[in-house]
């Protein structure tokens, strides 16, 4: 069969590589060997031919004139973005000579990889790169920037990232979107809910911002940031008091339901109302709806996880479906992430055994602090699949660290990102459309194979190809560092122990292109908690220094600033991806901050003007949208916008690099700020 790459004109199958739960099946329409159009694959069982505008316009990004074609070396000052073209040979030699010197003089721990999921491909994001850095003995990176607090919290209750199958949600009668802006970030979850609404289902949205998702809800419940755990406990209190709990389910499938009942006594609805800002009658109404309607499904988003107490909030909400026995009902339960169903052989892919010495681990949320640390300094940073100068908290510190003259920085990307501007060497990356890889959704339970669709752009190379080159130049001669992409996939996918992937092999996937995890209804039989039950009471949590029962823990009281600042992602960008592409910038218009009328009036701020937002960490200037979309005391911005001349729109200049309660997670939404009007002539 002709490979997709060699088809000059025609339509080929693909899958979206972006860090988005939907992981849509795509059709790529080729003309004269180039991508002409991108549409949804109508045969995909979950995404069914619909895709977002971002990816419909992905072609603009692939062929954007700003895309880099060649390796580059810096010729100007760090941060200026002046580079000269060099050959791959020179690039690889420069990097590896530098590293060889560093290793002999100060040790390999002076080198730090920094990466995330700019490309969700397993080979791209956790394949040869991990093998290489394990073998190198470099410092390790704790990849905590996204949802680790929540997944750690959810695991204490449910044993891992296992939840409701989206394909069963046509049965669901009550959807609770809790801290998720699903219209923008999980569009097919909304499609499913809207379809279910036609058969009478209700949609509740609990959020700090009445954004597009809140506006499509049957009932929008505004809540004060970081108080979701208290609301969940208030619901539980009422469920027990009003005998709306499913005792037989609790007896058979949970531990700690009696201790929980006693513990809930303190979460009186009035107290919960005072904490959350949700009127007491609404707490009763919500609890009674949750107790009465089945199947109910809670879609837990990242909003509540990006807080100081994100782990505990998620652990607490994850207890709710057990109280009403939802895990036995088709279409009932909750989804935080479903990635557990598709967990493959990561050890075979990443080869932790190549690590010969114990090395330090650096939390990626504190990259600024780490780069500025004078003891055992990081001397070289290798960035791929991520843009820390824009996406990491305490951005001013991150940039100060990146600007260090004695730091040797390599960035592998498709564009000269804000981070790449600080690089000594920039390497051009292929896009996912140019790569072989496989993808596992963290929402819909399908695993996808991807074969290259177009030839590499210019001289660009994939992550795996670059790490093979680096390994060779470092004179590492293990076969594992030479394996090609097909070999990597075979190792990751054959002989799996995961019971949900019992009939998947690489060969089968190659034939069928996408395969669904199986035996999903065995969830309660396979629970990975220490007791094998849903743990309402968790001894492990106690051992780890947390309360064993779900408990409300307020946000850290930081600095003396009056407004809670929630800088979330935007509809037309994917984190910072697309924020440098004209088409997407035009669609997204301008970065905005939403503010309550009262807070605006107190400050003499008018809708549509530019305001200054500041705290001890930094400042930025955004256009304000005044109204009732957020509660008093809360301001919300959307989007991680690229730097633009004369504009101060770096929201992460304001965000804390504090670590959340669990898993080393990020606390982007737990910072506080003040806002003031700016002089008209500024
Ligand atoms: N279009 C688009 N899609 C994306 C992304 C993107 O950038 N753009 N990013 C992708 C990635 S990497 C991720 S992790 C996901 C994130 O997507 P989501 O899971 O939707 O997470 P966020 O958008 O960060 O926040 C969700 C909602 O939580 C609200 N929120 C903030 N704090 C609180 C709180 O304390 N309580 C409650 N109840 N709500 C709160 C915010 O107002 C927001 O509406 O989306 C993915 N999909
Ligand atoms: N204020 C605030 N900050 C946030 C968030 C928030 O809600 N608010 N969300 C956080 C979350 S949830 C996340 S997940 C992070 C995401 O942050 P990042 O992981 O940094 O994601 P992106 O900003 O999309 O950057 C991905 C980069 O990878 C590059 N890339 C794409 N494919 C490849 C490839 O195959 N190889 C290489 N080498 N590069 C590639 C892209 O061009 C892009 O520059 O941001 C976090 N930052
Ligand atoms: S970004 Fe999300 S919604 Fe858009 S095509 Fe990719 S997976 Fe689908
Ligand atoms: Mo994320």
């Amino acid at each position: 069969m002709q490979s997709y790459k060699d088809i000059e004109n025609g339509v080929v199958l693909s899958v979206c590589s972006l860090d988005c739960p939907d992981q849509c099946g795509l059709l790529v329409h080729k003309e004269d060997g180039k991508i002409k159009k991108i549409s949804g694959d109508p045969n995909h069982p979950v995404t069914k031919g619909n895709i977002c505008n971002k990816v419909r316009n992905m072609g603009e990004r692939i062929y954007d004139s700003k895309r880099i074609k060649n390796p580059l070396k810096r010729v100007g000052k760090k941060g200026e973005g002046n580079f000269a073209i060099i050959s791959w040979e020179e690039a690889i030699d420069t990097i590896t000579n530098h590293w060889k010197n560093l290793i002999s003089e100060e040790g390999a721990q002076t080198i730090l990889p920094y990466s995330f999921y700019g490309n969700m491909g397993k080979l791209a994001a956790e394949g040869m790169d991990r093998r290489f850095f394990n073998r190198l003995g470099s410092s390790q990176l704790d990849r905590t920037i996204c949802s680790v607090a929540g997944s750690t919290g959810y695991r204490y209750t449910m044993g891992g990232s296992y939840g409701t199958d989206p394909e069963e949600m046509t049965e669901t009668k009550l959807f609770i979107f809790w801290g998720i802006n699903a219209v923008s970030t999980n569009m097919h979850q909304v499609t499913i809910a809207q379809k279910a609404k036609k058969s009478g289902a209700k949609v509740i949205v609990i959020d700090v911002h009445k954004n597009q998702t809140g506006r499509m809800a049957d009932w929008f419940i505004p809540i004060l940031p970081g108080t979701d755990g208290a609301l969940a406990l208030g619901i539980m209190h009422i469920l027990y008091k009003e005998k709306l709990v499913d005792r037989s389910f609790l007896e058979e499938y949970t531990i700690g339901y009696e201790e929980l009942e006693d513990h809930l006594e303190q979460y009186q609805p009035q107290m919960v109302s005072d904490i959350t800002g949700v009127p007491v009658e609404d707490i009763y109404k919500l609890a009674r709806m949750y107790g009465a309607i089945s199947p109910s499904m809670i879609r837990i988003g990242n909003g509540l996880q990006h807080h100081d107490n994100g782990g505990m909030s998620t652990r607490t909400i994850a207890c709710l479906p057990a109280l009403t026995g939802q895990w036995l009902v088709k279409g009932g339960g909750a989804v935080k992430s479903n990635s557990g169903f598709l967990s493959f052989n990561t050890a075979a892919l990443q080869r932790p055994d190549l690590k010969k010495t114990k090395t330090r681990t650096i939390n990626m949320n504190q990259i600024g602090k780490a780069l500025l640390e004078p003891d055992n300094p990081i001397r070289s940073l290798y960035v791929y699949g991520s843009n820390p100068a824009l996406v990491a908290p305490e951005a001013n510190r991150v940039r100060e660290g990146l600007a260090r003259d004695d730091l040797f920085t390599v960035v592998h990307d498709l564009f000269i990102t804000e981070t790449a501007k600080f690089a000594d060497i920039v390497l051009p990356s292929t896009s996912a459309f140019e790569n072989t890889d496989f993808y596992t959704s963290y929402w819909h339970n399908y695993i996808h194979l991807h074969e290259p669709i177009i030839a590499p752009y210019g001289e660009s190379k994939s992550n795996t190809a670059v790490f093979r080159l680096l390994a060779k130049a470092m004179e590492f001669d293990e076969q594992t560092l030479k394996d090609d992409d097909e070999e990597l996939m075979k190792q990751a996918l054959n002989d799996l122990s995961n019971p949900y992937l019992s009939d998947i092999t690489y060969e089968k996937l190659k034939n069928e292109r996408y395969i669904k995890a199986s035996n999903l209804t065995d969830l309660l039989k396979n629970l990975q908690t220490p007791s094998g039950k849903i743990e309402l009471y968790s001894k492990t949590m106690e051992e780890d220094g947390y309360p064993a029962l779900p408990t409300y823990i307020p946000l850290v009281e930081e600095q003396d600033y009056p407004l809670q600042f929630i800088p979330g992602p935007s509809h037309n960008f994917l984190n910072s991806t697309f924020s440098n592409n004209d088409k997407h910038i035009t669609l997204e218009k301008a970065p905005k901050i939403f503010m309550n009328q009262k807070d605006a009036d107190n400050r003499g701020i008018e809708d549509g003007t530019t305001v200054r937002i500041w705290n001890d960490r930094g400042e930025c200037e955004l256009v304000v949208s005044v109204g009732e979309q957020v509660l008093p005391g809360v301001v919300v911005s959307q989007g991680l916008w690229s730097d633009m001349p004369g504009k101060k729109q770096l929201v992460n200049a304001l965000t804390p690099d504090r670590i959340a309660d669990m898993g080393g997670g990020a606390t982007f939404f737990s910072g506080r700020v003040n806002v003031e009007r700016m002089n008209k002539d500024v």
Side-chain angles (χ1 to χ4, degrees):
M1 214 177 74
Q2 200 180 11
S3 76
Y4 284 176
K5 204 167 64 181
D6 298 331
I7 295 174
E8 285 283 301
N9 294 290
V11 181
V12 296
L13 266 187
S14 179
V15 56
C16 181
S17 64
L18 297 175
D19 187 353
C20 172
D22 299 59
Q23 200 151 100
C24 295
L26 303 180
L27 294 182
V28 176
H29 306 247
K30 290 183 69 180
E31 225 175 83
D32 301 330
K34 287 181 77 178
I35 297 174
K36 181 75 186 159
K37 185 176 136 184
I38 298 166
S39 61
D41 172 8
N43 295 323
H44 191 280
V46 185
T47 60
K48 296 185 175 158
N50 297 314
I51 60 168
C52 69
N53 230 357
K54 305 183 287 294
V55 169
R56 214 185 296 286
N57 291 303
M58 181 65 127
E60 309 263 344
R61 182 171 165 87
I62 302 297
Y63 301 114
D64 192 310
S65 58
K66 296 193 292 292
R67 205 175 145 189
I68 40 180
K69 285 191 166 140
N70 308 87
L72 305 169
K73 70 172 178 199
R74 183 167 54 82
V75 290
K77 276 203 200 131
K78 289 204 175 191
E80 276 177 4
N82 294 322
F83 295 97
I85 292 178
I86 54 172
S87 66
W88 268 103
E89 202 186 350
E90 182 181 343
I92 297 289
D93 282 351
T94 311
I95 299 166
T96 50
N97 287 338
H98 201 101
W99 285 355
K100 283 176 189 166
N101 284 339
L102 266 182
I103 292 169
S104 71
E105 282 163 21
E106 293 183 63
Q109 286 206 52
T110 53
I111 304 165
L112 177 73
Y114 193 97
S115 74
F116 209 63
Y117 290 90
N119 174 352
M120 287 287 284
K122 293 299 170 190
L123 304 191
E126 38 191 89
M128 195 52 86
D129 54 323
R130 307 296 175 102
R131 290 186 181 188
F132 177 79
F133 288 112
N134 285 338
R135 171 65 180 82
L136 190 69
S138 69
S139 290
Q140 296 278 322
L141 185 75
D142 205 3
R143 292 177 174 79
T144 47
I145 206 163
C146 181
S147 60
V148 69
S151 42
T152 309
Y154 191 91
R155 189 186 317 126
Y156 282 126
T157 308
M158 292 296 296
S161 293
Y162 305 97
T164 314
D165 180 358
E167 285 174 279
E168 301 213 325
M169 293 179 196
T170 42
E171 309 286 321
T172 306
K173 290 281 175 259
L174 178 65
F175 291 83
I176 302 183
F177 290 165
W178 203 326
I180 182 165
N181 183 9
V183 168
S184 296
T185 63
N186 188 190
M187 62 179 269
H188 296 90
Q189 179 66 78
V190 175
T191 312
I192 291 170
Q194 272 165 341
K195 200 163 168 211
K197 269 173 88 159
K198 292 199 177 117
S199 339
K202 292 275 175 274
V203 176
I204 296 176
V205 171
I206 305 173
D207 205 296
V208 302
H209 181 204
K210 192 167 185 179
N211 49 34
Q212 305 189 73
T213 308
R215 291 200 289 277
M216 70 92 194
D218 295 298
W219 185 20
F220 174 71
I221 304 178
I223 186 167
L224 288 169
T227 66
D228 304 271
L231 181 60
L233 289 157
I235 298 172
M236 291 185 207
H237 174 101
I238 298 167
L239 290 174
Y240 270 99
K241 285 277 179 227
E242 302 197 351
K243 305 203 169 11
L244 294 168
V245 294
D246 182 338
R247 292 263 164 196
S248 63
F249 182 91
L250 289 173
E251 266 164 43
E252 190 164 352
Y253 296 107
T254 72
I255 56 166
Y257 66 97
E258 282 161 335
E259 291 91 333
L260 178 63
E261 182 166 11
D262 295 340
H263 171 78
L264 286 169
E265 200 51 47
Q266 61 189 297
Y267 294 101
Q268 297 292 328
Q270 186 55 56
M271 180 185 93
V272 169
S273 171
D274 295 341
I275 295 170
T276 58
V278 181
V280 79
E281 56 279 13
D282 284 351
I283 301 174
Y284 275 102
K285 182 176 154 192
L286 177 60
R288 286 170 186 156
M289 274 176 87
Y290 191 70
I293 305 178
S294 176
S296 66
M297 195 285 302
I298 307 176
R299 182 69 177 94
I300 307 172
N302 242 23
L304 44 96
Q305 295 171 53
H306 276 168
H307 280 293
D308 296 309
N309 57 10
M312 188 56 111
S313 300
T314 309
R315 181 276 193 277
T316 303
I317 295 169
C319 293
L320 279 168
L323 262 59
T324 60
Q326 287 302 307
W327 292 112
L328 284 180
V329 188
K330 194 173 178 188
V335 182
K336 213 287 299 174
S337 156
N338 275 332
S339 61
F341 292 122
L342 293 173
S343 66
F344 53 94
N345 194 341
T346 43
L349 184 59
Q350 303 183 1
R351 296 298 300 263
D353 56 299
L354 289 167
K355 225 183 295 173
K356 294 288 180 270
T357 48
K358 213 176 144 21
T359 57
R360 66 177 163 181
T361 299
I362 287 171
N363 186 320
M364 72 187 297
N365 292 317
Q366 296 188 322
I367 185 63
K369 195 182 274 173
L371 290 176
L372 294 172
E373 178 61 53
D375 296 334
N376 300 319
I378 296 166
R379 298 265 186 221
S380 179
L381 187 68
Y382 184 99
V383 182
Y384 57 106
S386 183
N387 185 10
L390 208 59
V391 308
E394 283 271 19
N396 289 330
R397 267 207 233 173
V398 176
R399 290 181 184 207
E400 194 186 327
L402 288 171
R404 265 175 48 202
D405 268 326
D406 63 329
L407 180 74
F408 178 73
T409 301
V410 181
V411 175
H412 184 207
D413 205 298
L414 290 78
F415 290 92
I416 306 285
T417 58
E418 284 67 18
T419 313
K421 284 189 182 146
F422 290 91
D424 295 278
I425 300 285
V426 180
L427 304 173
S429 171
T430 47
S431 74
F433 289 134
E434 295 148 50
N435 295 344
T436 303
D437 219 321
F438 74 98
Y439 292 83
T440 58
S441 165
Y442 51 91
W443 175 66
H444 63 43
N445 304 321
Y446 285 79
I447 182 167
H448 291 251
L449 185 86
H450 192 268
E451 97 173 61
I453 280 173
I454 48 172
Y457 185 78
E459 290 187 8
S460 64
K461 291 189 192 295
S462 70
N463 294 2
T464 53
V466 175
F467 285 107
R468 280 187 286 263
L469 285 179
L470 289 169
K472 189 169 172 224
M474 290 301 293
E475 294 151 67
F476 296 159
D477 54 10
E478 289 86 347
Q479 177 54 40
T480 41
L481 296 164
K482 298 175 187 159
D483 289 340
D484 66 16
D485 291 347
E486 182 166 9
E487 188 54 41
L488 288 171
M489 290 199 282
K490 282 185 187 159
Q491 293 164 9
L493 291 172
N494 286 343
D495 306 319
L496 296 174
S497 59
N498 173 0
Y500 303 105
L501 288 188
S502 50
D503 42 59
I504 287 188
T505 60
Y506 166 68
E507 291 72 20
K508 197 169 169 203
L509 185 63
K510 196 169 173 182
N511 262 337
E512 298 180 23
R513 298 247 152 209
Y514 46 80
I515 303 180
K516 189 177 181 183
S518 48
N519 313 317
L520 297 175
T521 48
D522 289 349
L523 177 59
L524 292 175
K525 275 190 240 159
N526 291 330
L527 286 174
Q528 303 291 306
T529 51
S531 62
K533 298 198 171 189
I534 297 172
E535 299 205 342
L536 305 174
Y537 180 100
S538 161
K539 207 163 176 301
T540 321
M541 287 186 77
E542 201 167 55
E543 286 159 11
D544 293 347
Y546 305 105
L549 288 159
T551 301
Y552 168 63
I553 295 163
L555 297 183
V556 171
E557 282 204 29
E558 70 156 35
Q559 305 177 359
D560 194 15
Y561 288 94
L563 303 165
Q564 188 82 38
F565 179 50
I566 315 283
S570 60
H571 189 76
N572 294 294
F573 304 157
L574 200 298
N575 302 318
S576 80
T577 300
F578 301 120
S579 73
N580 57 343
N581 301 120
D582 294 343
K583 177 80 189 179
H584 296 78
I585 293 173
T586 310
L587 288 169
E588 193 58 33
K589 297 190 181 86
K592 265 195 192 160
I593 184 156
F594 295 87
M595 180 176 231
N596 188 276
Q597 187 74 54
K598 271 195 204 133
D599 290 324
D601 290 348
N602 286 340
R603 291 169 174 77
I605 288 173
E606 283 159 35
D607 183 56
T609 56
T610 302
V611 292
R612 175 172 172 263
I613 308 141
W614 83 97
N615 61 20
D616 289 356
R617 293 181 279 266
E619 62 173 347
C620 68
E621 296 168 3
L622 304 176
V623 174
V624 68
S625 174
V626 177
E628 302 303 321
Q629 288 197 19
V630 295
L631 292 173
V634 181
V635 283
V636 172
S637 73
Q638 285 183 330
L640 299 172
W641 286 75
S642 273
D643 293 356
M644 288 180 192
K647 302 223 163 158
K648 288 191 190 166
Q649 48 195 31
L650 179 63
V651 291
N652 276 325
L654 297 159
T655 52
D657 67 357
R658 260 195 328 270
I659 295 306
D661 57 346
M662 292 180 194
T667 61
F668 289 109
F669 301 163
S670 286
R672 298 183 74 81
V673 296
N674 205 347
V675 176
E676 67 182 4
R677 56 180 291 183
M678 290 178 49
N679 294 333
K680 285 248 164 30
D681 52 352
V682 172

